[in-house]
Amino acid sequence: MQTVVLVGTDHNFQRPVNGPHTEGIAQFRIQIQELCLQYHLAAIAEEMSVYALAEHNITESVAQQVCALLGLRHQFSDPSSREERYKLGIRQDNDIRAEHLCSDSTQEQIEADVLARGSVPSDRIREQFWLRKVQEFDVWPLLFICGANHFTSFAALLKASGINVVEAHPDWEPTANRGCCES
């Protein structure tokens, strides 16, 4: 059976760096390991890319580290570059604002355009992309890590595609820092 154990979180916990999230990252790593063992998972896929890691001067994600430790397969499921996102029609809010730099649009017009073409339509495109990547990967059961803002809609998309979904954490946060971070 195709099963996805789904975890939503703040992307800061997916990237192993020193700084204000160090303790949370350690807790996240433990949580991911525990889920892998509890559900006998074969792989981890995540809303992340080599491109996104490189933007933070990082070469591997927490999920990759867990996969190496447990002997699991890993997949980056997000588009691999800004160019690929553009070709897919995925627009980040700041990308839309940047398109208006040389226009005579008012701030209200720009923000209306951001709302019309911004994150919600782009999120649905991205989630469809992740679904295709996971289906092509075809390793089950797997853990999927995404931003908490995608949890509900991506769970619904997976279910609509006939995939069994275990909703493990809609918005995982470290216990010591509850409420400190946004997704």
Side-chain angles (χ1 to χ4, degrees):
M1 172 184 278
Q2 295 177 332
T3 298
V4 171
V5 176
L6 189 59
V7 173
T9 193
D10 181 311
H11 295 303
N12 286 311
F13 302 120
Q14 288 178 260
R15 298 183 292 257
V17 295
N18 292 322
H21 301 289
T22 303
E23 179 59 32
I25 292 165
Q27 289 182 36
F28 186 64
R29 182 180 290 109
I30 291 167
Q31 180 62 67
I32 296 306
Q33 289 173 8
E34 289 174 354
L35 288 170
C36 289
L37 296 173
Q38 177 182 354
Y39 291 100
H40 306 284
L41 301 176
I44 300 175
E46 60 181 320
E47 175 193 357
M48 185 61 65
S49 67
V50 172
Y51 168 77
L53 290 174
E55 285 184 323
H56 293 89
N57 296 316
I58 301 168
T59 58
E60 64 181 355
S61 69
V62 170
Q64 282 180 292
Q65 293 173 343
V66 171
C67 285
L69 179 70
L70 299 178
L72 306 177
R73 295 189 52 200
H74 177 267
Q75 180 192 61
F76 288 124
S77 298
D78 217 26
S80 59
S81 68
R82 185 176 302 272
E83 293 79 18
E84 185 175 14
R85 284 181 182 214
Y86 185 81
K87 287 178 187 174
L88 292 167
I90 298 170
R91 303 291 182 269
Q92 303 298 98
D93 292 354
N94 286 336
D95 295 334
I96 297 167
R97 288 183 186 99
E99 292 172 9
H100 289 277
L101 287 178
C102 295
S103 75
D104 58 354
S105 300
T106 66
Q107 191 62 38
E108 292 79 22
Q109 290 169 324
I110 294 169
E111 292 309 313
D113 194 24
V114 168
L115 286 173
R117 299 188 301 137
S119 59
V120 172
S122 289
D123 285 352
R124 300 304 78 85
I125 295 168
R126 286 176 73 195
E127 291 164 3
Q128 288 285 343
F129 183 85
W130 303 338
L131 174 63
R132 284 191 305 275
K133 293 280 286 187
V134 166
Q135 289 171 325
E136 291 168 4
F137 191 42
D138 198 25
V139 180
W140 313 98
L142 76 93
L143 176 75
F144 193 93
I145 303 166
C146 62
N149 58 321
H150 294 283
F151 185 89
T152 301
S153 55
F154 191 53
L157 178 61
L158 290 165
K159 290 173 187 175
S161 300
I163 296 172
N164 179 49
V165 178
V166 176
E167 296 183 11
H169 295 285
D171 188 2
W172 183 90
E173 295 179 323
T175 54
N177 297 325
R178 293 252 179 230
C180 75
C181 306
E182 297 179 23
S183 298

